[in-house]
Amino acid sequence: MSNGAQALMKTLVDAGIEVCFSNPGTSEMHFVAALDSEPRMRAVLALFEGVATGAADGYARMAGKPAATLLHLGCGLGNGLANLHNARKGKVPIVNIVGDHATYHTRLDAQLQSDIETVARNVSPGFVRTSSSTAQLCQDATDAITAARGLPGQVATLILPADVSWGEGAEPCPPPAQPAPQAADAAVVQAIAEVLRSGKKAALLLGGHALREPALLAAARIAAHSGVQLLAEVFPTRMERGAGLPYVERIAYLAEMAGVQLAGIEHLVLVDAKAPVSFFAYPGKKSELVPDTCTVHTLSTPAQDAAASLQQLATALGATQTAPALQAAQRPGCPRGKLTAPKVCKAVGHLLPDNAILIDEAITSGLMLSTMTAGAPRHDLITLTGGAIGQGLPNAVGAAIACPGRPVIALIGDGTAMYTFQALWTMAREKLHVVSVVFNNASYSVLNVELERVGADEVGPKAQSQLDLSEPTLNFALLAQGMGVHAVRTDTAEGFAKALEYALAEPGPHLIEALVPESLSGAKRKVLPWLLRSMPHLPQPVARALKRKIAP
Amino acid sequence: MSNGAQALMKTLVDAGIEVCFSNPGTSEMHFVAALDSEPRMRAVLALFEGVATGAADGYARMAGKPAATLLHLGCGLGNGLANLHNARKGKVPIVNIVGDHATYHTRLDAQLQSDIETVARNVSPGFVRTSSSTAQLCQDATDAITAARGLPGQVATLILPADVSWGEGAEPCPPPAQPAPQAADAAVVQAIAEVLRSGKKAALLLGGHALREPALLAAARIAAHSGVQLLAEVFPTRMERGAGLPYVERIAYLAEMAGVQLAGIEHLVLVDAKAPVSFFAYPGKKSELVPDTCTVHTLSTPAQDAAASLQQLATALGATQTAPALQAAQRPGCPRGKLTAPKVCKAVGHLLPDNAILIDEAITSGLMLSTMTAGAPRHDLITLTGGAIGQGLPNAVGAAIACPGRPVIALIGDGTAMYTFQALWTMAREKLHVVSVVFNNASYSVLNVELERVGADEVGPKAQSQLDLSEPTLNFALLAQGMGVHAVRTDTAEGFAKALEYALAEPGPHLIEALVPESLSGAKRKVLPWLLRSMPHLPQPVARALKRKIAP
C-alpha cells in the first residue's frame, strides 16, 4: 500500500526513468519524501528551474531516454519554460512533472494559484494532463512516459496535485512498451533513389537521429557513390563527429551564408530534418532559404528510423559497399599571444580529449569551433536547438550525469551564461567533470550584427547601451567561485590552453573565463565582409561565393 | 511619418510610461533602435527577463503607474513569468511587451517559434493581444495601457511582431483617460456600519490600497471609535507603516498562527482584500482560515476606492473626529554577538533610515522583521504577493528607479536570492542605492517546516538533501562582486550593523551577506513550539493562545 508519490516513483524507475532534476516547493514535499522509498531514483537539486529543465534535456540527449523534472506550480514551470522549449524543438523526451495545489485548494485562488495547463501547452502541445486522483496517477504517469518517448520524442507534462500525491491506495503501473520507429516506405526510397541517379545537383539534409553514427555512415556511402552533398541542420540536437566519422557541413545561422550553401541545389532530401528557414525574419528578405528552383523531398520524418531509411536508400542505389569518406585525424596547433575567440576555439580543437561531449552555446564567439574541432577525436556536439539562450550550462549538468565517464566541455557566451548560471552550483554539488568556458566580450555581440541586419539604421547611444555588457564588466570567475566551482580568467592563448589542460586533467567542475575582444561592437558593420575576415578557414567555394556577393 | 516602434514609443511616453525594463533579442531590434527617437523613455537593461518583469512590478508599486517591459518571444516571456505572476496577484499594472517573429514568419516554425499567447494567458487573463498591423499598433498599445491601469491594475500583454514594429506609416495615439475608482455604495457602507455598531467582535481586513496612509488613518479612526480590530492581508503589495502611522497586524503565513489571529472574530470586513485562505493545502486541515462562525462582509473591492470607502464608513459611524491610535517612534537597540536572523532584523530596525523602502523576501529569516521595524521611521513595505520566489531583488531595482531619493533595503533568503540574482548587475549599472541583505543559512529553511506540516513523516537522507544548500555553501559576496556590486559577508551582529551603516551612507548598490545559523534543519521540528521560541515579541494574546494550543 503506497501513497501516490511512492507509487509514482516506482512507476517512473520501472520505466527506466532514474534521474529527477528538481526544484521543489511545499506542494512537492510528498514527492520529495518518497525519494527515499526508491533507491533507484537519483534526485539532482537545481537552484533554478531553468537548470532542472535544461539538465533533463542534456541528460536525454546523451542517455537516449527521458529524465523527470520536478517543478513547483505554474511559476516553477514558467522558470523552466525556455529550456523545455529547446527540448521541444530538439524532439527530446522529458517527463515534466509539475506539482500543483491540492485539487480542493485551487478554487480558493491562493497566492501561488495560476493556470498551469495554459503555460504547459507552449512546450507540451502533445501531452498535458492534470492527474485527478491517486488511483489514476500511475496510469497518468505511464501515459506521460509513453508520450515523452513517442515517435518523435517530446516534452510530456504531468501536473501533480498535492493531494493526489499524498493520497493512499496507489498502485504502480508496469513499464509501457517503447515503440520502434519504422524505416521509410519502399516507394519513397525508390523515388528518391531515382532523383539521386538523375545527375542533378542534390543534397541530403541530415537532422535529428540522422546525425548519429549509423545514419551518418549510410549517408556518407550514398554521398561517395552518387556525388550528393551532405548537409546538417543548423542546430543539431546531438551530432556525432570528429576523426573517423563522416564530415558534414552544417547550414549556417546567417541566412546570407546559408543562401550561399544552398545555391544551385536542385534536389534537397530531408532526413529527420525540416527545410531550412531563416532564424529570424528580416525586412525585404525571404524567410525560406531553399532556392525557388530546388525541389524538396522527404526521405524520413522525425517519427521514422533515419538510419534504416538511409541504409535502404544506400541499398537502392547499390552503395552499401561504397567506402564512405571519413574525416582524417587532424588538430590545429596550440594558439599563442593575446586571446581571441577563434584562439579559444583553436585551443579546444588542439586539446579536445577522446570521447568528449562538446556543448556549443558560444553564439558569435564560437564561429570557429566547428572548423577547429572537425578533425579532433570523435565527440558528440550538442547545440541550441530552440534558440532560447541559457541552455548550455544546464545541458552540461545533464550530459555529465548521463555519461559519468566522459569529459564535458561547454562553450558559452557571456550574455547567454547569465540566464542559467546557477547550473554551476549543481555541477559543484554533484562533482561533475564539466569544463565551462565563458567567452567574456562584454557584449550581446550577436545583436550588433542583428541590429544592422534588420535594417534598424539609426543606432543611437540608448540603443547601443541595450547591447552592451561592459559597465560593469561581469567577472565570471568570481561568480563561479561563489558557487563553489574552481575558476580562472585569462586573456592570453597560452594561459587559456594551460587552464584547459589542467581542467581536463583534474576531476570536478571548472570554469575558464576567456577575456576576448568584442570584434563587432561600435560602428555598424557590414556582415559579409566581417564574416570573411573572421572566418579564414571557410571552405573555399563558400568563401569565393561570399566574395562574389560582396563585390559583384 | 514613423515606423511602428517609433510611434509606439511616443504613445507609451505620452501616456506616462517612461521606463522600459528590457531584455531584447533580434525581433525587438526596431523597438531598441526607436529608444533614441524618444528622449523621455528610459531603457533599463536586465540580464534575465525575471529581473525585467520584477523591476517593472517594483517600479509600479512605488511609482503608482506602470512601466513597460520588453521581452523576447515566448521563451523570454517564460523567463519573466514568475514575477509577472507576483504582479498579477498584487494587482500591479504592467504593460508587458513581448516581441514576436514577423507575422509572415510564424508559419515557418523557426527555432524560436512558439505559442506566446498561451503562456501570456497565465499572467494576463484580462488582456492578451497580438498586434496585427502597423496601422493598428498604437491603438493596441492604448488598449493595453487602459487595461493595465484599469480597476484594479493588471498585467496587460501586448505581443509585437517584428514587421508590425518595422512597418512604416504608424500614427501615435493620444493618452487614454485614467479611470477614477468609486467609493463603496452607500447602502453597503450603512449595512457595515450597522454590523460594527452591534458590539460583536469585528475586524477590518485591509489589503491593496487600503494599506496606504489615507485609508489607514480612516481605518484607525474606525478602530478607535468602534473597537474593531485592524488586520492586514498576509502579503501586501505595498504597505505604509512605521512611527506616526497606525499599526496594523498582518495575518500570519502559517495557517496555525492565522487561525489564532482570526479566532473569535464574528464579523470580518474586507477592504480591498480577500478572505484569508491557507497558502498551501495540508492533509486533514481546512484551507479556509475564516472561522465557520464568522460572517464575511465586503466594504470595497479592489476595483473601488478603499480610502474613500473607509472615510464614508467613518462618517457613518461618527468617527471622523476620533483620534486614531498611531505607532510611537521606537527602535530596538543595536544587536551584539554572534549573528542570527532575528539580530539582522533587529539591526535593520535599529538603523532604518527615514522614508526607506523595505522589501521583505527573507522567508523564515525575516520572521522578526515586522516586529523590529514597527516603530522605526515611516517606510514602505513590499512583500511577496504571489509566492513566486525571486521577486525581491528585481523589485528593489524597480523601486529604486521609481524613487531615486529613497534608500531601498531588500532582505532576501539565500534560496530565493538565487532565482534572479542577475538583478545585482542592473543595480550596479544604474548605480541604484539599494542595500541587499542576503540571509545565508545554507538551506531551503521554510521547506523543513513544510515537510513536517504536509505530514510527510518519513524523511530520509535523499529528501533532506533536496532542502539543503550547504554543499557547497554559496558565497553571495563573491557573486555580488562578480556583478560589480560592493559586498561584505559577516557572522557577527556588530559586523552586520557596521556594514549596514556604511551601505546606507554610501551611494550605489551594496550587498551584505549575513551568515546565520539554520535553526530549523536536522531533526523534524514541531512548528508551534518553534514559533514561540523564535518569536519572543509576539503580541501577548497571540502568544497565550499559541501556548494553549500546544499544551491543552
Side-chain angles (χ1 to χ4, degrees), chain A residues 329-384:
Chain A
Q330 188 180 36
R331 287 176 184 273
C334 198
R336 304 197 166 277
K338 193 168 158 40
L339 196 57
T340 62
K343 287 184 191 173
V344 170
C345 298
K346 191 175 180 184
V348 170
H350 182 70
L351 293 169
L352 196 76
D354 281 347
N355 210 24
I357 300 167
L358 197 56
I359 296 176
D360 176 15
E361 201 188 15
I363 320 290
T364 57
S365 294
L367 278 171
M368 295 304 301
L369 185 66
S370 212
T371 305
M372 291 297 185
T373 55
R378 185 186 160 130
H379 58 278
D380 280 277
L381 175 71
I382 285 177
T383 76
L384 182 60

Side-chain angles (χ1 to χ4, degrees), chain A residues 123-251:
Chain A
V123 288
S124 294
F127 188 96
V128 177
R129 187 182 301 170
T130 302
S131 189
S132 60
S133 77
T134 304
Q136 189 59 28
L137 173 59
C138 291
Q139 186 58 50
D140 290 333
T142 301
D143 293 347
I145 295 164
T146 302
R149 303 193 308 198
L151 303 170
Q154 63 179 316
V155 178
T157 297
L158 176 66
I159 300 171
L160 176 60
D163 55 339
V164 171
S165 192
W166 77 52
E168 291 292 332
E171 284 293 339
C173 285
Q178 171 73 62
Q182 304 296 309
D185 279 356
V188 169
V189 172
Q190 287 307 327
I192 289 174
E194 205 64 44
V195 166
L196 300 190
R197 277 192 218 102
S198 70
K200 299 265 175 79
K201 190 174 172 192
L204 300 179
L205 177 58
L206 310 177
H209 290 272
L211 294 170
R212 310 285 283 279
E213 183 174 15
L216 285 172
L217 288 173
R221 286 195 178 90
I222 294 166
H225 181 276
S226 305
V228 312
Q229 194 181 345
L230 296 185
L231 292 170
E233 59 188 350
V234 52
F235 289 118
T237 300
R238 174 181 171 189
M239 182 178 186
E240 295 186 301
R241 64 194 297 271
L245 284 172
Y247 172 80
V248 182
E249 185 182 320
R250 276 164 65 194
I251 302 275

Side-chain angles (χ1 to χ4, degrees), chain B residues 19-44:
Chain B
V19 181
C20 176
F21 295 98
S22 75
N23 186 259
T26 298
S27 38
E28 290 73 59
M29 283 298 106
H30 283 87
F31 189 101
V32 167
L35 286 169
D36 290 282
S37 72
E38 182 45 82
R40 293 172 294 166
M41 178 64 86
R42 177 173 182 182
V44 177

Side-chain angles (χ1 to χ4, degrees), chain A residues 22-23 36 41 89 105 107-109 118 287-288 418-419 422 425 429 462-463 465-466 472 475 482, chain B residues 22-23 36 41 89 105 107-109 118 274 287-288 418-419 422 425 429 462-463 465-466 472 475 482:
Chain A
S22 75
N23 186 258
D36 289 281
M41 178 63 86
K89 291 293 183 165
H105 194 73
R107 68 175 175 81
L108 299 174
D109 195 30
T118 191
S287 288
E288 292 93 341
M418 290 306 292
Y419 286 75
Q422 304 94 332
W425 183 82
R429 179 169 166 108
K462 276 203 283 185
S465 78
Q466 296 297 297
N475 184 318
Chain B
S22 75
N23 186 259
D36 290 282
M41 178 64 86
K89 291 293 182 166
H105 194 73
R107 68 176 175 79
L108 299 174
D109 194 32
T118 191
K274 67 192 281 282
S287 289
E288 292 91 344
M418 290 306 291
Y419 286 74
Q422 305 93 332
W425 183 82
R429 179 170 166 109
K462 275 203 283 184
S465 79
Q466 296 297 296
N475 184 317

Side-chain angles (χ1 to χ4, degrees), chain A residues 288-455:
Chain A
E288 292 93 341
L289 299 179
V290 178
D292 291 338
T293 53
C294 175
T295 308
V296 177
H297 312 264
T298 298
L299 174 64
S300 65
T301 70
Q304 293 177 304
D305 186 328
S309 302
L310 284 163
Q311 277 147 10
Q312 294 196 1
L313 182 59
T315 304
L317 290 165
T320 53
Q321 302 306 311
T322 309
L326 300 178
Q327 170 70 48
Q330 188 180 36
R331 287 176 184 273
C334 198
R336 304 197 166 277
K338 193 168 158 40
L339 196 57
T340 62
K343 287 184 191 173
V344 170
C345 298
K346 191 175 180 184
V348 170
H350 182 70
L351 293 169
L352 196 76
D354 281 347
N355 210 24
I357 300 167
L358 197 56
I359 296 176
D360 176 15
E361 201 188 15
I363 320 290
T364 57
S365 294
L367 278 171
M368 295 304 301
L369 185 66
S370 212
T371 305
M372 291 297 185
T373 55
R378 185 186 160 130
H379 58 278
D380 280 277
L381 175 71
I382 285 177
T383 76
L384 182 60
T385 43
I389 55 179
Q391 176 186 307
L393 295 171
N395 267 191
V397 168
I401 285 172
C403 304
R406 300 178 61 178
V408 179
I409 303 177
L411 292 108
I412 313 287
D414 47 2
T416 66
M418 290 306 292
Y419 286 75
T420 48
F421 206 66
Q422 304 94 332
L424 273 284
W425 183 82
T426 302
M427 292 179 195
R429 179 169 166 108
E430 301 289 333
K431 302 182 174 57
L432 305 178
H433 195 195
V434 175
V435 183
S436 303
V437 175
V438 176
F439 293 86
N440 190 345
N441 63 15
S443 168
Y444 284 129
S445 185
V446 67
L447 294 184
N448 279 297
V449 179
E450 298 288 13
L451 196 58
E452 184 217 340
R453 292 175 80 215
V454 299

Side-chain angles (χ1 to χ4, degrees), chain B residues 1-16:
Chain B
M1 196 65 166
S2 316
N3 70 22
Q6 290 159 346
L8 170 59
M9 204 67 75
K10 183 161 168 29
T11 301
L12 290 169
V13 289
D14 283 350

